[in-house]
Amino acid sequence: MKEKKIETFLAHDGKKAHSKGAVVPPIYQNSLFTMKDWDDIDKAFDDRTNSYIYSRGNNPSAEIVEEKLAKICEGERAKLFASGMGAISAVFLSCIKNGSHIITLKNIYGPANNLLETYFKPKFNIEITYVNGTDIKDFKDVIKPNTSLIYLESPSSVIFSLQDLEAVSKLAKANSIKTAIDNTWASPLYQNPLKFGIDLEIHSCSKYIGGHSDVVAGIVVGSKVDIENIFTKEFELLGAKIAPFEAWLLLRSLRTLKIRMEQHQKNGLQVAKFLESHPKIQKVNYPGLESFPQYELGKKQMSGYTGLMSFQLKTSNLDSIKTFFNGLELFQIGVSWGGHESLIYAPAISYLKELNKEQFEGLGISLGDMRISVGLESAEDLIEDLTLALSKI
Ligand SMILES: *Cc1c(COP(=O)(O)O)cnc(C)c1O
C-alpha cells in the first residue's frame, strides 16, 4: 500500500497499544514494568532507550505520541517532556558546555530568554549573542570558535519574524554548530525544519498540538542519535517526564490536529485581513498577510499559517488601550495560546514589570500591541467582537 496521508495516520493509533480490541489505547499508568527473568531484564538494560523498564525512561502512553510526532515532523525519533520549557532546557544542556557561545534571536520566547540570561549565563559562563535573524549575515558575522548552538524561533514570539531555515542550517553545518528551533507557532503540519537540515525541532505541546487548553507538555524531535543522547542524559537524569495521562490527552489531540489547524488558519487569515483594513489599527504582524515583510520567505518554508498574531492599536493612550482590551467578550484574557478558545494578551503587561517604555520599544514592542490567539469559533463572530471593542475607543 502506498504511504498514507497525515490525517489518516493521525486518526489511527496503530495496533500496538490496542488490547482487547479497545479503539482507544489505555493509559499506561505504570511506574515500572516487570520482566520474565534475569536475561530479559539484562537485555532491557542493554537497549534501555527501546525498552520499558521504568516510566522515567519509556512509557507506552508517551511512546505512541512520540512515534506519531517523530513521523509528522519527518524526524527519526522524538521525546516527550513534562513541558515545552523542559524540552527547551534539555536541548540547551545537550548542546552547550561551560564557556560555550550561543547565537539566538532578540525576540525568542520570554522564559527561554530568561533561562539563558539568568541561569545558564551566570552558572555556566555561557556567552550569548542576540541577533535580528532576518538576514543570514546576522548569524555569519557573530560566529566564534566556541559557538556550539544556533537557537531559532521562526516565526518568533510577539512579532513573528522569520529566519531562513535552509540558509542557517547550511551555515551552521559548515561551522560544526548545532541548530535547534522552537517550531511551536507553525505546528508540525505547517513547517518541517528538519527537512531544511535543522538538527532539533522543539514544540510546546501546550499550544496547538494539545489544542484543548488542558495539557502542559513539550517535545524534541531529531535524528535517532541526537534524541537517544538527550534521552539517556537530559531526559532520564533530569527527570522532566510527562505523566501517562497527559500523553494520552495528547494522543486524543493528535486525531484532530489537521482539521483544527485548518480552522485556525482560515479564521486567522480572516481576522488578520479584517484588522489590517481597520482604521484604528496601525499594523498587523501575521506571516500569512501579503503585506508581511517576509511573506515570500514564509511561503517558501511554511505550508500554512496559524491563528496567533499581534497587532498595534493606533492609540498610545493607556486608558483607551485598556478599554479595548477589557471590551472584548469572545476573546478571553489569558496567557498561552493555541487552544480551541480565542484569547487576548497585551505584551506590555509583562514588559512594564521588567523594562521601561524605551527598553521594550527597543525590542519592537509598543504599549498598544495586542497578541491574539484566534480559536475555533466562527470568524464572523470573532470579527464582530473585535469591531464592537474597537468602536469603544
Ligand atoms: C508556551 C511556549 C513555550 C513553552 O512551553 P510550555 O509548555 O509552557 O513550557 C515555548 N515556546 C513558545 C513559542 C511558547 O509559546
Side-chain angles (χ1 to χ4, degrees):
M1 242 174 144
K2 69 179 199 316
E3 181 78 2
K4 309 272 189 309
K5 298 271 191 300
I6 279 184
E7 56 270 40
T8 307
F9 176 71
L10 290 174
H12 287 256
D13 298 328
K15 295 232 166 71
K16 192 165 152 188
H18 292 55
S19 72
K20 302 186 197 303
V23 71
V24 175
I27 305 168
Y28 284 86
Q29 191 64 44
N30 297 281
S31 64
L32 68 98
F33 302 85
T34 56
M35 313 277 167
K36 281 203 302 282
D37 54 23
W38 179 292
D39 284 350
D40 199 28
I41 196 162
D42 193 50
K43 255 198 275 157
F45 279 125
D46 284 343
D47 190 16
R48 57 185 304 121
T49 68
N50 292 306
S51 305
Y52 301 128
I53 302 171
Y54 185 59
S55 286
R56 182 157 42 71
N58 273 329
N59 173 282
S61 295
E63 197 180 42
I64 187 169
V65 176
E66 288 163 355
E67 283 173 3
K68 274 188 196 250
L69 282 168
K71 172 135 182 182
I72 61 172
C73 294
E74 303 195 25
E76 288 174 354
R77 204 161 173 181
K79 202 69 202 138
L80 269 178
F81 284 77
S83 67
M85 284 306 295
I88 290 169
S89 50
V91 165
F92 284 153
L93 282 163
S94 120
C95 297
I96 58 170
K97 55 178 198 249
N98 191 38
S100 290
H101 174 232
I102 295 181
I103 304 171
T104 189
L105 312 166
K106 289 188 180 139
N107 272 303
I108 55 168
Y109 178 64
N113 185 58
N114 269 346
L115 175 66
L116 288 174
E117 275 298 312
T118 65
Y119 198 88
F120 283 115
K121 202 161 150 180
K123 286 210 175 201
F124 298 102
N125 203 19
I126 298 300
E127 285 181 78
I128 308 159
T129 305
Y130 297 96
V131 298
N132 278 328
T134 47
D135 187 334
I136 188 68
K137 245 180 119 289
D138 297 350
F139 297 97
K140 208 180 269 172
D141 289 350
V142 298
I143 290 176
K144 300 182 187 192
N146 59 336
T147 307
S148 66
L149 174 66
I150 298 181
Y151 181 79
L152 308 174
E153 197 181 308
S154 182
S156 69
S157 284
V158 190
I159 58 166
F160 313 110
S161 68
L162 313 182
Q163 302 98 58
D164 185 329
L165 303 185
E166 195 170 15
V168 174
S169 88
K170 257 195 207 143
L171 172 72
K173 280 197 167 61
N175 290 277
S176 305
I177 298 167
K178 279 269 182 205
T179 45
I181 184 170
D182 181 332
N183 198 34
T184 307
W185 189 92
S187 91
L189 296 187
Y190 294 156
Q191 180 166 266
N192 292 133
L194 302 176
K195 261 194 338 210
F196 296 109
I198 300 292
D199 295 310
L200 295 162
E201 172 175 348
I202 302 164
H203 290 269
S204 165
C205 303
S206 323
K207 313 296 161 59
Y208 288 126
I209 292 175
H212 296 66
S213 302
D214 52 13
V215 186
V216 172
I219 195 147
V220 184
V221 192
S223 70
K224 189 169 177 292
V225 172
D226 281 348
I227 300 300
E228 286 178 1
N229 258 326
I230 289 175
F231 186 136
T232 55
K233 297 188 178 72
E234 290 78 20
F235 179 77
E236 236 184 343
L237 299 181
L238 298 180
K241 69 162 275 287
I242 190 165
F245 177 56
E246 312 238 275
W248 182 88
L249 282 174
L250 290 177
L251 180 61
R252 172 278 320 253
S253 296
L254 286 178
R255 298 182 185 118
T256 56
L257 183 62
K258 185 142 188 288
I259 53 168
R260 284 189 288 110
M261 294 319 298
E262 282 167 359
Q263 185 71 8
H264 284 298
Q265 164 162 241
K266 193 166 139 261
N267 284 355
L269 273 165
Q270 256 177 276
V271 169
K273 284 184 183 151
F274 160 77
L275 290 170
E276 189 177 40
S277 67
H278 198 284
K280 288 182 183 166
I281 306 286
Q282 181 69 32
K283 172 171 125 190
V284 181
N285 300 307
Y286 183 67
L289 287 175
E290 278 175 46
S291 60
F292 185 74
Q294 295 172 292
Y295 180 71
E296 288 305 321
L297 175 61
K299 259 196 353 194
K300 190 186 119 200
Q301 62 190 22
M302 290 192 281
S303 57
Y305 310 100
T306 61
L308 187 71
M309 68 192 75
S310 63
F311 59 91
Q312 191 185 350
L313 294 169
K314 270 198 183 141
T315 178
S316 53
N317 175 300
L318 191 55
D319 287 336
S320 300
I321 292 168
K322 285 184 183 173
T323 299
F324 166 75
F325 188 78
N326 296 334
L328 290 158
E329 279 189 12
L330 289 178
F331 285 86
Q332 300 177 83
I333 297 167
V335 296
S336 196
W337 50 276
H340 51 89
E341 77 289 13
S342 290
L343 293 170
I344 184 159
Y345 184 67
I349 296 168
S350 306
Y351 287 109
L352 280 171
K353 295 199 189 305
E354 293 157 24
L355 309 170
N356 65 37
K357 197 161 160 281
E358 285 69 39
Q359 283 172 321
F360 75 76
E361 282 176 355
L363 292 170
I365 290 155
S366 77
L367 212 52
D369 278 349
M370 299 285 135
R371 187 189 73 177
I372 54 171
S373 175
V374 177
L376 302 175
E377 304 92 335
S378 135
E380 208 181 301
D381 291 343
L382 294 173
I383 288 170
E384 169 77 3
D385 196 28
L386 289 162
T387 305
L388 281 174
L390 284 165
S391 74
K392 295 177 187 163
I393 62 170

